[in-house]
Amino acid sequence: MAVLTPSPVTTAAAVEKRKKPKVWTREIVNRAIVDSLIKLNPLTLYRNPIMFIVEIGALLTTVLLLP
């Protein structure tokens, strides 16, 4: 029984295939910040009653903790 070992591939396509995509690019981070601020809008949260109540609770907690 012959054992086949893979030959090392050093082509540009193989190197490009091994690169991981960058997650923390400026475009992705900026879009995530904008989307998070849009989702914190009370008019948007009003459509989702559970998240609306959570936001009200967080706001009340913040106000009560401030001296």
Coordinates of all heavy atoms in Angstrom, one line a residue:
M1 N 0.8 -1.2 0.0 CA 0.0 0.0 0.0 C 0.9 1.2 0.0 O 1.7 1.4 0.9 CB -0.9 0.0 1.2 CG -1.8 1.2 1.2 SD -2.9 1.6 2.5 CE -3.3 0.3 3.5
A2 N 0.7 2.1 -1.0 CA 1.5 3.3 -1.1 C 0.9 4.4 -0.4 O -0.3 4.6 -0.4 CB 1.7 3.6 -2.6
V3 N 1.7 5.2 0.3 CA 1.2 6.4 1.0 C 1.5 7.6 0.2 O 2.7 7.8 -0.1 CB 1.9 6.5 2.4 CG1 1.4 7.7 3.1 CG2 1.6 5.2 3.2
L4 N 0.5 8.3 -0.1 CA 0.7 9.5 -0.9 C 0.8 10.7 0.0 O 0.0 10.9 0.9 CB -0.5 9.7 -1.9 CG -0.7 8.6 -2.9 CD1 -2.0 8.9 -3.7 CD2 0.5 8.5 -3.8
T5 N 1.9 11.5 -0.2 CA 2.0 12.7 0.6 C 1.8 13.9 -0.3 O 2.2 13.9 -1.5 CB 3.4 12.8 1.2 OG1 4.4 12.8 0.1 CG2 3.7 11.7 2.2
P6 N 1.0 14.9 0.2 CA 0.8 16.0 -0.7 C 2.0 16.8 -1.0 O 2.8 17.0 -0.1 CB -0.2 16.8 0.1 CG -0.1 16.4 1.5 CD 0.4 15.0 1.5
S7 N 2.2 17.2 -2.2 CA 3.4 18.0 -2.5 C 3.1 19.5 -2.1 O 2.0 20.0 -2.2 CB 3.6 17.9 -4.0 OG 2.5 18.5 -4.7
P8 N 4.1 20.2 -1.6 CA 3.9 21.5 -1.2 C 3.6 22.4 -2.4 O 4.3 22.4 -3.4 CB 5.2 21.9 -0.5 CG 6.2 21.0 -1.0 CD 5.5 19.7 -1.4
V9 N 2.6 23.2 -2.3 CA 2.2 24.1 -3.4 C 2.6 25.5 -3.0 O 2.2 26.0 -2.0 CB 0.7 24.0 -3.7 CG1 0.3 24.9 -4.8 CG2 0.3 22.6 -4.0
T10 N 3.4 26.1 -3.9 CA 3.9 27.5 -3.5 C 3.5 28.5 -4.6 O 4.2 29.5 -4.8 CB 5.4 27.5 -3.4 OG1 6.0 27.0 -4.6 CG2 5.9 26.6 -2.2
T11 N 2.4 28.2 -5.3 CA 1.9 29.2 -6.3 C 1.3 30.3 -5.6 O 0.9 30.3 -4.4 CB 0.9 28.5 -7.2 OG1 -0.2 28.1 -6.5 CG2 1.6 27.3 -7.9
A12 N 1.1 31.4 -6.3 CA 0.5 32.6 -5.8 C -1.0 32.3 -5.4 O -1.5 32.9 -4.4 CB 0.6 33.7 -6.8
A13 N -1.6 31.5 -6.2 CA -3.0 31.2 -5.9 C -3.1 30.4 -4.5 O -4.1 30.7 -3.8 CB -3.6 30.3 -7.0
A14 N -2.2 29.6 -4.2 CA -2.2 28.8 -3.0 C -1.9 29.8 -1.8 O -2.6 29.7 -0.7 CB -1.2 27.7 -3.0
V15 N -1.0 30.7 -2.0 CA -0.7 31.7 -0.9 C -1.9 32.6 -0.7 O -2.3 32.9 0.4 CB 0.5 32.5 -1.3 CG1 0.7 33.7 -0.3 CG2 1.7 31.6 -1.3
E16 N -2.6 33.0 -1.8 CA -3.8 33.8 -1.7 C -4.9 33.1 -1.0 O -5.7 33.7 -0.2 CB -4.2 34.3 -3.1 CG -5.1 35.5 -3.2 CD -4.5 36.7 -2.5 OE1 -3.3 37.0 -2.6 OE2 -5.3 37.4 -1.9
K17 N -5.0 31.8 -1.2 CA -6.1 31.0 -0.6 C -5.9 30.9 0.9 O -6.8 30.8 1.6 CB -6.1 29.6 -1.3 CG -7.2 28.7 -0.8 CD -7.2 27.4 -1.5 CE -8.3 26.5 -1.1 NZ -8.3 25.2 -1.7
R18 N -4.6 30.9 1.4 CA -4.4 30.7 2.8 C -4.6 32.0 3.6 O -4.7 31.9 4.8 CB -2.9 30.2 3.0 CG -2.8 28.7 2.7 CD -1.4 28.3 3.1 NE -0.7 28.1 1.8 CZ 0.6 28.3 1.7 NH1 1.3 28.8 2.7 NH2 1.2 28.2 0.5
K19 N -4.6 33.1 3.0 CA -4.8 34.4 3.7 C -6.2 34.5 4.3 O -7.2 34.2 3.6 CB -4.5 35.6 2.8 CG -3.1 35.8 2.4 CD -3.0 37.1 1.6 CE -1.5 37.3 1.2 NZ -1.4 38.5 0.4
K20 N -6.2 34.9 5.5 CA -7.5 35.0 6.2 C -8.0 36.4 5.9 O -7.3 37.4 5.8 CB -7.4 34.8 7.7 CG -7.0 33.4 8.1 CD -7.0 33.3 9.6 CE -6.7 31.9 10.0 NZ -6.7 31.7 11.4
P21 N -9.4 36.6 5.8 CA -9.9 37.9 5.5 C -9.8 38.8 6.8 O -9.9 38.3 7.9 CB -11.4 37.6 5.2 CG -11.7 36.3 5.8 CD -10.4 35.5 5.8
K22 N -9.5 40.0 6.6 CA -9.4 41.0 7.7 C -10.8 41.4 8.2 O -11.6 41.8 7.4 CB -8.6 42.2 7.3 CG -7.1 41.8 6.9 CD -6.4 43.1 6.6 CE -4.9 42.7 6.3 NZ -4.2 43.9 5.9
V23 N -11.0 41.3 9.5 CA -12.3 41.6 10.1 C -12.3 43.0 10.5 O -13.3 43.7 10.5 CB -12.6 40.6 11.2 CG1 -13.9 41.0 11.9 CG2 -12.6 39.2 10.7
W24 N -11.2 43.6 11.0 CA -11.1 44.9 11.6 C -10.7 45.9 10.6 O -9.8 46.8 10.9 CB -10.2 44.9 12.8 CG -10.7 44.0 13.9 CD1 -10.3 42.8 14.2 CD2 -11.8 44.3 14.8 NE1 -11.0 42.3 15.3 CE2 -12.0 43.2 15.6 CE3 -12.7 45.4 14.9 CZ2 -12.9 43.2 16.6 CZ3 -13.6 45.4 15.9 CH2 -13.7 44.3 16.7
T25 N -11.3 46.0 9.4 CA -11.0 47.0 8.5 C -11.8 48.3 8.8 O -12.8 48.2 9.5 CB -11.3 46.6 7.0 OG1 -12.7 46.3 6.9 CG2 -10.5 45.3 6.7
R26 N -11.4 49.4 8.3 CA -12.0 50.7 8.6 C -13.5 50.7 8.1 O -14.4 51.1 8.8 CB -11.3 51.8 8.0 CG -11.9 53.2 8.2 CD -11.0 54.3 7.7 NE -9.7 54.4 8.2 CZ -9.4 55.1 9.3 NH1 -10.3 55.8 9.9 NH2 -8.2 55.1 9.8
E27 N -13.7 50.1 6.9 CA -15.1 50.1 6.4 C -16.0 49.3 7.2 O -17.2 49.7 7.5 CB -15.1 49.5 4.9 CG -14.3 50.4 4.0 CD -12.8 50.0 4.0 OE1 -12.4 49.0 4.4 OE2 -12.0 50.9 3.5
I28 N -15.6 48.1 7.7 CA -16.4 47.2 8.5 C -16.7 47.9 9.8 O -17.9 47.8 10.3 CB -15.8 45.8 8.6 CG1 -15.7 45.1 7.3 CG2 -16.5 45.0 9.7 CD1 -15.0 43.8 7.3
V29 N -15.7 48.4 10.5 CA -15.9 49.0 11.8 C -16.8 50.2 11.7 O -17.7 50.4 12.5 CB -14.5 49.4 12.4 CG1 -14.7 50.2 13.7 CG2 -13.7 48.1 12.7
N30 N -16.6 51.1 10.7 CA -17.5 52.3 10.6 C -18.9 51.9 10.3 O -19.8 52.5 10.9 CB -17.0 53.2 9.4 CG -15.7 53.9 9.8 OD1 -15.4 54.1 11.0 ND2 -15.0 54.4 8.8
R31 N -19.1 50.9 9.5 CA -20.5 50.4 9.2 C -21.1 49.8 10.5 O -22.3 50.0 10.7 CB -20.5 49.4 8.1 CG -21.8 48.9 7.7 CD -22.7 50.1 7.1 NE -24.0 49.7 7.0 CZ -25.0 50.4 6.6 NH1 -24.8 51.7 6.3 NH2 -26.2 49.9 6.5
A32 N -20.3 49.1 11.3 CA -20.9 48.5 12.5 C -21.3 49.6 13.5 O -22.3 49.5 14.2 CB -19.8 47.6 13.1
I33 N -20.5 50.7 13.6 CA -20.8 51.8 14.5 C -22.1 52.4 14.1 O -23.0 52.7 14.9 CB -19.6 52.8 14.6 CG1 -18.4 52.1 15.3 CG2 -20.0 54.0 15.3 CD1 -17.2 52.9 15.3
V34 N -22.2 52.7 12.8 CA -23.4 53.4 12.3 C -24.6 52.5 12.5 O -25.7 53.0 13.0 CB -23.2 53.7 10.8 CG1 -24.6 54.2 10.2 CG2 -22.2 54.8 10.6
D35 N -24.5 51.2 12.2 CA -25.6 50.3 12.4 C -26.0 50.2 13.9 O -27.2 50.1 14.2 CB -25.3 48.9 11.9 CG -25.4 48.9 10.4 OD1 -25.9 49.8 9.7 OD2 -24.8 47.9 9.8
S36 N -25.1 50.2 14.8 CA -25.4 50.1 16.2 C -26.1 51.3 16.7 O -27.0 51.2 17.5 CB -24.1 49.8 17.0 OG -23.3 51.0 17.0
L37 N -25.7 52.5 16.2 CA -26.4 53.7 16.6 C -27.8 53.8 16.0 O -28.8 54.2 16.7 CB -25.6 54.9 16.2 CG -24.3 55.1 16.9 CD1 -23.5 56.3 16.3 CD2 -24.5 55.3 18.4
I38 N -28.0 53.3 14.8 CA -29.4 53.2 14.3 C -30.2 52.3 15.1 O -31.4 52.6 15.3 CB -29.3 52.8 12.8 CG1 -28.6 53.9 11.9 CG2 -30.6 52.4 12.2 CD1 -28.3 53.5 10.5
K39 N -29.7 51.2 15.5 CA -30.5 50.2 16.2 C -30.8 50.7 17.7 O -31.7 50.1 18.3 CB -29.7 48.9 16.3 CG -29.7 48.2 15.0 CD -28.9 46.9 15.0 CE -28.9 46.3 13.6 NZ -28.1 45.1 13.6
L40 N -30.1 51.7 18.2 CA -30.4 52.2 19.5 C -31.4 53.3 19.5 O -31.8 53.8 20.5 CB -29.1 52.7 20.2 CG -28.2 51.6 20.7 CD1 -26.9 52.3 21.2 CD2 -28.9 50.8 21.8
N41 N -31.9 53.7 18.3 CA -32.9 54.7 18.1 C -34.2 54.2 18.8 O -34.7 53.1 18.5 CB -33.1 55.0 16.6 CG -34.1 56.1 16.4 OD1 -34.7 56.7 17.3 ND2 -34.3 56.4 15.1
P42 N -34.8 55.0 19.7 CA -36.0 54.5 20.4 C -37.2 54.2 19.4 O -38.0 53.4 19.6 CB -36.4 55.7 21.3 CG -35.1 56.4 21.5 CD -34.3 56.2 20.3
L43 N -37.2 55.0 18.3 CA -38.3 54.7 17.3 C -38.1 53.3 16.7 O -39.1 52.6 16.3 CB -38.3 55.8 16.3 CG -38.7 57.2 16.8 CD1 -38.6 58.2 15.7 CD2 -40.1 57.2 17.4
T44 N -36.9 52.9 16.5 CA -36.6 51.6 15.9 C -36.9 50.5 17.0 O -37.4 49.5 16.7 CB -35.1 51.5 15.5 OG1 -34.9 52.5 14.6 CG2 -34.8 50.2 14.8
L45 N -36.5 50.8 18.2 CA -36.7 49.8 19.3 C -38.2 49.7 19.7 O -38.6 48.7 20.3 CB -35.9 50.2 20.6 CG -34.4 50.0 20.4 CD1 -33.7 50.5 21.7 CD2 -34.1 48.5 20.3
Y46 N -39.0 50.7 19.4 CA -40.4 50.6 19.7 C -41.1 49.4 19.0 O -42.0 48.9 19.5 CB -41.1 51.9 19.4 CG -42.5 52.0 19.7 CD1 -42.9 52.1 21.1 CD2 -43.5 51.9 18.7 CE1 -44.3 52.1 21.4 CE2 -44.8 52.0 19.1 CZ -45.2 52.1 20.4 OH -46.5 52.1 20.7
R47 N -40.6 49.1 17.9 CA -41.1 47.9 17.1 C -40.8 46.6 17.8 O -41.5 45.6 17.5 CB -40.6 48.0 15.7 CG -41.1 49.2 14.9 CD -40.6 49.1 13.5 NE -40.8 50.4 12.9 CZ -39.9 51.1 12.2 NH1 -38.7 50.5 11.9 NH2 -40.1 52.2 11.7
N48 N -39.7 46.6 18.6 CA -39.4 45.4 19.3 C -39.6 45.7 20.8 O -38.7 46.2 21.5 CB -37.9 45.0 19.0 CG -37.5 43.7 19.6 OD1 -38.2 43.1 20.4 ND2 -36.3 43.2 19.2
P49 N -40.7 45.3 21.4 CA -41.0 45.7 22.8 C -40.0 45.2 23.8 O -39.8 45.9 24.8 CB -42.4 45.1 23.0 CG -42.7 44.2 21.9 CD -41.7 44.5 20.8
I50 N -39.4 44.0 23.6 CA -38.5 43.5 24.6 C -37.2 44.4 24.7 O -36.8 44.8 25.8 CB -38.1 42.1 24.4 CG1 -39.4 41.2 24.5 CG2 -37.0 41.6 25.3 CD1 -39.2 39.8 24.1
M51 N -36.7 44.7 23.5 CA -35.5 45.6 23.5 C -35.8 47.0 23.9 O -35.0 47.7 24.5 CB -34.9 45.6 22.1 CG -34.2 44.3 21.7 SD -33.0 43.7 22.9 CE -31.8 45.0 22.9
F52 N -37.1 47.4 23.7 CA -37.5 48.8 24.1 C -37.5 48.8 25.6 O -37.0 49.8 26.2 CB -38.9 49.1 23.5 CG -39.3 50.5 23.8 CD1 -38.7 51.6 23.3 CD2 -40.4 50.7 24.7 CE1 -39.1 52.9 23.5 CE2 -40.8 52.0 24.9 CZ -40.2 53.1 24.4
I53 N -38.0 47.8 26.3 CA -38.0 47.8 27.7 C -36.6 47.7 28.3 O -36.3 48.3 29.3 CB -38.9 46.6 28.2 CG1 -40.4 46.9 27.9 CG2 -38.7 46.3 29.7 CD1 -41.3 45.8 28.1
V54 N -35.8 46.9 27.6 CA -34.4 46.8 28.1 C -33.7 48.1 28.0 O -32.9 48.5 28.9 CB -33.6 45.7 27.2 CG1 -32.1 45.8 27.5 CG2 -34.1 44.3 27.5
E55 N -33.9 48.9 26.9 CA -33.3 50.2 26.8 C -33.8 51.2 27.9 O -33.1 51.9 28.5 CB -33.6 50.8 25.4 CG -32.9 52.2 25.2 CD -33.1 52.8 23.9 OE1 -34.1 52.5 23.3 OE2 -32.3 53.6 23.5
I56 N -35.1 51.1 28.2 CA -35.7 52.0 29.2 C -35.0 51.6 30.6 O -34.7 52.5 31.4 CB -37.2 51.8 29.3 CG1 -37.8 52.5 28.0 CG2 -37.8 52.5 30.5 CD1 -39.3 52.3 27.9
G57 N -34.9 50.3 30.8 CA -34.3 49.8 32.1 C -32.8 50.3 32.2 O -32.4 50.7 33.2
A58 N -32.1 50.2 31.1 CA -30.7 50.7 31.1 C -30.6 52.2 31.3 O -29.7 52.7 32.1 CB -30.0 50.3 29.8
L59 N -31.5 52.9 30.7 CA -31.6 54.4 30.9 C -31.9 54.7 32.4 O -31.2 55.6 33.0 CB -32.6 55.0 30.0 CG -32.7 56.5 30.0 CD1 -31.4 57.2 29.5 CD2 -33.9 57.0 29.2
L60 N -32.9 54.1 32.9 CA -33.2 54.3 34.3 C -32.1 54.0 35.3 O -31.8 54.7 36.3 CB -34.5 53.6 34.7 CG -35.8 54.1 34.2 CD1 -37.0 53.2 34.5 CD2 -36.1 55.5 34.7
T61 N -31.4 52.8 35.0 CA -30.3 52.4 35.9 C -29.2 53.4 35.8 O -28.6 53.8 36.8 CB -29.8 51.0 35.4 OG1 -30.9 50.1 35.5 CG2 -28.7 50.6 36.3
T62 N -28.9 53.9 34.6 CA -27.9 54.9 34.5 C -28.2 56.2 35.2 O -27.4 56.8 35.9 CB -27.6 55.2 33.0 OG1 -27.3 54.0 32.3 CG2 -26.5 56.2 32.8
V63 N -29.4 56.7 35.1 CA -29.9 57.9 35.8 C -29.8 57.7 37.3 O -29.4 58.6 38.0 CB -31.3 58.3 35.3 CG1 -31.8 59.4 36.1 CG2 -31.2 58.7 33.8
L64 N -30.3 56.6 37.8 CA -30.3 56.4 39.2 C -28.9 56.2 39.8 O -28.7 56.5 41.0 CB -31.1 55.1 39.6 CG -32.6 55.3 39.3 CD1 -33.3 54.0 39.5 CD2 -33.2 56.3 40.2
L65 N -27.9 55.7 39.0 CA -26.6 55.6 39.5 C -25.8 56.8 39.5 O -24.8 57.0 40.2 CB -25.8 54.5 38.7 CG -26.2 53.1 39.0 CD1 -25.5 52.1 38.1 CD2 -26.0 52.7 40.4
L66 N -26.2 57.8 38.7 CA -25.5 59.1 38.7 C -25.8 59.9 40.0 O -27.0 59.9 40.4 CB -25.8 59.9 37.5 CG -25.4 59.3 36.1 CD1 -25.9 60.2 35.0 CD2 -23.9 59.2 36.1
P67 N -24.9 60.5 40.6 CA -25.2 61.2 41.9 C -25.9 62.5 41.7 O -26.1 63.1 40.7 CB -23.8 61.6 42.5 CG -22.8 61.3 41.4 CD -23.5 60.5 40.4

